[in-house]
């Protein structure tokens, strides 16, 4: 069975911490975070690098018209007013949304935020003939704007957005549409590359500079419109450290005061050194998204079910030091969307072998599949030892897995392309950690056959008429209680059909120096750094 980073390695890494290149010791009033990413996220507005990129370069420098409320640890992060004070849908059409904007907000460059700025930002993602259309940002924002048919400014503080069809989950897409400054772009000669060096948003942090694949330097926005969320720290330093051992070294030496995803074997040592380990449940799962094309063995539901039954999730949780819990589907069993699946996701290798025999496989004909995996990245936890653990489990029942290993952003590009893309030919599964903070990203966009990329996030081209019917009804249902009932039916269906292989729900661990105070571990992949202080 695979082994994660050894304690001996971690102890040695502490002594060698001074060898971590280019990292100065943390000073008071500066929050220094070692991220799991290998590069600094895109800084122009629509951050890349997944949800971690949005956490550190989205909700820091920018706002959406709607934000997620990240101030509580005991509830799932709700939608709250951001640059829009309110939003409502037309009762007759259910397609026309009106957003009343917050007056008096300024971009970091001092220019005014208004309805024209919202239209300009939608144009940069949607309108290909607009002079400021940006393919890099459009790629990142494609899923969030796919439902939009048209938009216009009604007056300086009112924006109207029309969706193609009634879409009750549209407000959950709006927080990911970050608003950049038109004035800054124009002042820089209409050059997004120059904008990336000195970006301007409306968020609580201002980006001063960044060095690719190394670090980003930010300072607090003392004039932030939400005075309750003006950052407590004066400065924020974000460091790209995909290697877990390097992150531990940097924290133990005092070179950073916060690290993402501490390796489980390091947790006892970090605690002994006085570090605080924070965890919390949140809407997130570590799965394998499966290709259901006829060319893949996973086209057969029996093979999909066998793969789910082959994994010793309790053993994997033990390997992870208890920093995860076994998954029984996309959402936890206590979630209102869980429903009543008849297929029980558990560890049952004998039943897995039986299903494979029924599907025509056996000792003389083993299942051969290729998985796309990453070396590190947003929400991937400890992807190499975890994937090796699963690989051994699957091998034991007759499924031989080969890996195509790449960096996180390359994996995300392969995920955005969909399993039918030429670059994904021969790929049977993709190990992309997944967040389900809303109905679309969690269930509708992953299971509805019309939501293949770029219209949605159905990577594996899953096509089930029953799921399609339920998904369509759920998207058009504006009554929350009734929508939850439909979502529970949808989750029941995709679990019974083993749409994906769901492995564990991680507990969002991070480690912090004892002088880091005020952090609230929100039940979200996004987190708020503004209340954090370094004493």
């Amino acid at each position: 069975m695979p082994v994660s980073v050894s304690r001996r390695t971690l102890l040695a890494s502490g002594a060698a911490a001074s060898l971590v290149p280019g990292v100065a010791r943390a000073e008071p009033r500066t929050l220094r975070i070692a991220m799991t990413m290998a590069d600094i996220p895109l800084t122009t507005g629509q951050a890349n690098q997944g949800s971690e990129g949005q956490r550190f370069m989205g909700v820091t420098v920018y706002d959406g018209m709607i934000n997620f409320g990240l101030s509580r640890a005991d509830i799932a992060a709700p939608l709250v007013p951001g640059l829009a004070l309110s939003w409502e849908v037309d009762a007759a059409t259910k397609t026309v949304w009106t957003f009343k904007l917050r007056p008096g907000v300024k971009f970091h460059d001092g220019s005014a935020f208004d309805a024209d700025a919202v239209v300009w930002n939608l144009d940069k993602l949607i309108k290909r003939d607009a002079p400021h259309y940006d393919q890099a940002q459009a790629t990142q924002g494609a899923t969030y704007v796919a439902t939009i048919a048209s938009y216009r400014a009604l007056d300086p503080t009112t924006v109207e957005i029309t969706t193609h069809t009634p879409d009750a989950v549209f407000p959950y897409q709006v927080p990911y549409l970050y608003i950049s400054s038109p004035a800054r772009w124009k002042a820089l000669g209409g050059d997004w590359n120059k904008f990336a060096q000195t970006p301007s948003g409306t968020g609580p942090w201002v980006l001063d500079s960044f060095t690719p694949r190394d670090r980003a330097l930010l300072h607090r926005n003392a004039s932030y419109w939400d005075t309750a969320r003006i950052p407590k720290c004066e400065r924020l330093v974000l460091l790209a450290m995909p290697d877990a051992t390097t992150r531990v070294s940097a924290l133990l030496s005092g070179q950073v005061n916060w690290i993402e995803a501490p390796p489980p074997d390091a947790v006892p040592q970090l605690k002994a050194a006085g570090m605080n380990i924070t965890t919390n449940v949140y809407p997130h799962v570590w799965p394998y998204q499966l290709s259901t094309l006829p060319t893949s063995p996973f086209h057969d539901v029996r093979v999909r079910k066998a793969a789910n039954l082959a994994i010793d999730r309790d053993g994997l949780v033990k390997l992870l030091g208890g920093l995860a819990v076994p998954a029984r589907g996309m959402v936890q069993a206590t979630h209102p969307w869980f429903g009543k699946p008849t297929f029980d996701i558990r560890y049952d290798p004998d039943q897995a072998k039986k299903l494979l025999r029924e599907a025509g496989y056996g000792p003389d004909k083993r299942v051969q599949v290729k998985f796309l995996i990453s070396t590190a990245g947003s929400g991937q936890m400890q992807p190499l030892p975890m994937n090796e653990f699963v690989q051994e489990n699957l091998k034991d029942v007759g499924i031989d897995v080969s890996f195509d290993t790449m960096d996180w952003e390359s994996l995300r590009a392969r995920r955005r392309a969909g399993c039918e893309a030429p670059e994904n030919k021969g790929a049977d599964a993709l190990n992309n950690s997944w967040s389900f903070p809303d109905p679309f990203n969690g269930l509708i966009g992953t299971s509805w056959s019309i939501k293949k990329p770029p219209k949605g996030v159905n990577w594996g081209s899953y096509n089930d008429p029953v799921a399609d019917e339920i998904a369509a009804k759920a998207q058009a249902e504006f009554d929350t209680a009734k929508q939850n009932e439909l979502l529970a039916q949808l989750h029941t269906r995709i679990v019974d059909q083993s749409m994906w292989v769901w492995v564990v729900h991680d507990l969002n661990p991070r480690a912090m120096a004892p002088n880091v105070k005020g952090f609230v571990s929100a039940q979200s992949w996004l987190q708020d750094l503004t209340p954090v202080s370094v004493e």
Side-chain angles (χ1 to χ4, degrees):
M1 201 58 65
V3 178
S4 58
V5 181
S6 71
R7 288 188 176 86
R8 180 179 299 174
T9 300
L10 292 170
L11 288 168
S13 72
S18 61
L19 301 180
V20 179
V23 184
R25 285 187 173 275
E27 63 271 19
R29 307 289 290 171
T30 297
L31 179 62
R32 302 178 68 91
I33 299 178
M35 307 177 294
T36 71
M37 296 176 287
D39 201 359
I40 301 303
L42 189 65
T43 62
T44 45
Q46 295 300 134
N48 61 0
Q49 302 282 344
S51 295
E52 190 175 20
Q54 294 181 11
R55 184 194 315 146
F56 290 123
M57 200 57 68
V59 298
T60 50
V61 179
Y62 298 95
D63 291 297
M65 289 192 291
I66 302 173
N67 290 338
F68 281 104
L70 305 171
S71 63
R72 293 179 59 178
D74 59 334
I75 60 171
L79 296 178
V80 298
L83 296 177
L85 290 169
S86 64
W87 55 94
E88 62 180 358
V89 68
D90 176 66
T93 65
K94 298 291 181 69
T95 60
V96 180
W97 293 83
T98 302
F99 294 82
K100 296 299 294 184
L101 304 182
R102 188 180 299 275
V105 175
K106 301 289 186 182
F107 287 102
H108 298 156
D109 55 39
S111 62
F113 163 77
D114 57 15
D116 287 339
V118 174
V119 170
W120 188 91
N121 274 271
L122 292 173
D123 282 346
K124 80 178 180 184
L125 304 178
I126 298 173
K127 193 175 180 182
R128 291 181 174 272
D129 59 351
H132 60 290
Y133 175 80
D134 183 23
Q135 185 60 63
Q137 292 189 75
T139 297
Q140 302 303 320
T143 299
Y144 311 126
V145 299
T147 191
I148 296 176
S150 63
Y151 46 92
R152 59 177 179 155
L154 299 183
D155 60 51
T157 60
T158 311
V159 172
E160 181 183 275
I161 298 178
T162 302
T163 59
H164 290 287
T165 60
D167 187 353
V169 300
F170 174 57
Y172 288 96
Q173 309 305 307
V174 177
Y176 304 110
L177 299 175
Y178 299 106
I179 305 298
S180 312
S181 167
R184 172 61 57 85
W185 181 84
K186 293 172 185 175
L188 294 172
D191 188 327
W192 279 114
N193 290 324
K194 291 181 179 178
F195 187 100
Q197 298 300 317
T198 57
S200 177
T202 63
W205 299 92
V206 181
L207 180 66
D208 294 320
S209 64
F210 73 96
T211 304
R213 306 189 73 84
D214 183 17
R215 70 189 60 206
L217 307 178
L218 302 88
H219 71 269
R220 70 177 175 187
N221 177 8
S223 301
Y224 186 49
W225 57 266
D226 186 351
T227 56
R229 293 186 57 240
I230 294 175
K232 296 292 192 296
C233 282
E234 295 175 359
R235 289 173 293 277
L236 173 64
V237 180
L238 305 173
L239 296 122
M241 285 191 191
D243 181 71
T245 304
T246 304
R247 292 197 300 275
V248 171
S249 299
L251 181 60
L252 290 173
S253 71
Q255 295 172 331
V256 300
N257 39 39
W258 172 315
I259 66 172
E260 296 290 288
D265 279 2
V267 169
Q269 183 192 7
L270 291 169
K271 287 183 176 179
M275 306 301 170
N276 295 317
I277 309 296
T278 68
T279 61
N280 198 9
V281 296
Y282 73 126
H284 196 259
V285 67
W286 196 85
Y288 293 95
Q289 300 183 26
L290 305 180
S291 169
T292 58
L293 297 178
T295 53
S296 172
F298 292 126
H299 181 71
D300 191 322
V301 65
R302 294 169 295 188
V303 178
R304 300 199 298 269
K305 287 186 175 182
N308 268 296
L309 294 171
I311 299 172
D312 178 9
R313 292 168 178 80
D314 289 331
L316 184 55
V317 168
K318 185 176 181 181
L319 178 71
L320 293 170
L323 297 178
V325 294
R328 294 176 55 197
M330 184 78 79
V331 304
Q332 296 93 335
T334 56
H335 199 286
W337 302 342
F338 187 77
K340 298 178 180 179
T342 59
F343 177 60
D344 180 22
I345 294 178
R346 63 194 187 279
Y347 182 42
D348 191 341
D350 291 337
Q351 180 64 14
K353 293 175 183 178
K354 181 176 182 293
L355 286 167
L356 291 177
R357 287 195 299 270
E358 293 175 1
Y361 296 96
D364 298 327
K365 185 185 177 183
R366 296 173 64 85
V367 179
Q368 304 291 329
V369 289
K370 181 170 74 173
F371 289 4
L372 307 181
I373 69 171
S374 66
T375 53
S378 173
Q380 295 296 84
M381 292 185 281
Q382 312 300 321
L384 297 181
M386 291 172 71
N387 272 289
E388 290 168 0
F389 185 102
V390 171
Q391 182 185 47
E392 289 296 318
N393 280 176
L394 294 176
K395 180 180 179 181
D396 289 343
V397 302
I399 302 175
D400 295 329
V401 178
S402 63
F403 292 138
D404 187 352
T405 306
M406 61 200 73
D407 68 80
W408 173 233
E409 190 58 21
S410 297
L411 182 73
R412 291 189 67 246
R414 299 283 286 272
R415 193 266 300 163
R416 288 194 302 270
C419 72
E420 297 180 39
E423 60 265 37
N424 287 326
K425 184 178 180 179
D428 300 291
L430 179 142
N431 173 225
N432 190 132
S433 60
W434 203 248
S435 184
F436 48 89
D438 64 85
F440 182 85
N441 285 308
L443 297 175
I444 296 171
T446 57
S447 64
W448 198 351
S449 62
I450 67 171
K451 297 299 182 180
K452 294 186 291 186
K455 293 183 178 180
V457 285
N458 183 353
W459 179 84
S461 294
Y462 180 72
N463 189 338
D464 174 42
V466 175
D468 284 354
E469 181 181 358
I470 302 171
K473 290 179 179 178
Q475 179 166 297
E477 181 53 71
F478 285 76
D479 182 285
T480 301
K482 292 179 180 178
Q483 185 186 65
N484 282 343
E485 292 176 2
L486 289 165
L487 293 169
Q489 294 175 28
L490 182 57
H491 187 259
T492 294
R493 180 64 181 179
I494 66 172
V495 171
D496 285 346
Q497 291 292 303
S498 285
M499 181 184 77
W500 291 359
V501 172
W502 295 280
V503 185
V504 293
H505 299 286
D506 70 285
L507 296 178
N508 210 7
R510 43 185 56 87
M512 302 173 189
N515 62 340
V516 175
K517 308 293 184 182
F519 174 64
V520 175
S521 184
Q523 291 187 29
S524 170
W525 188 242
L526 303 174
Q527 298 293 332
D528 187 5
L529 304 180
T530 65
V532 179
S533 62
V534 179
E535 300 175 357

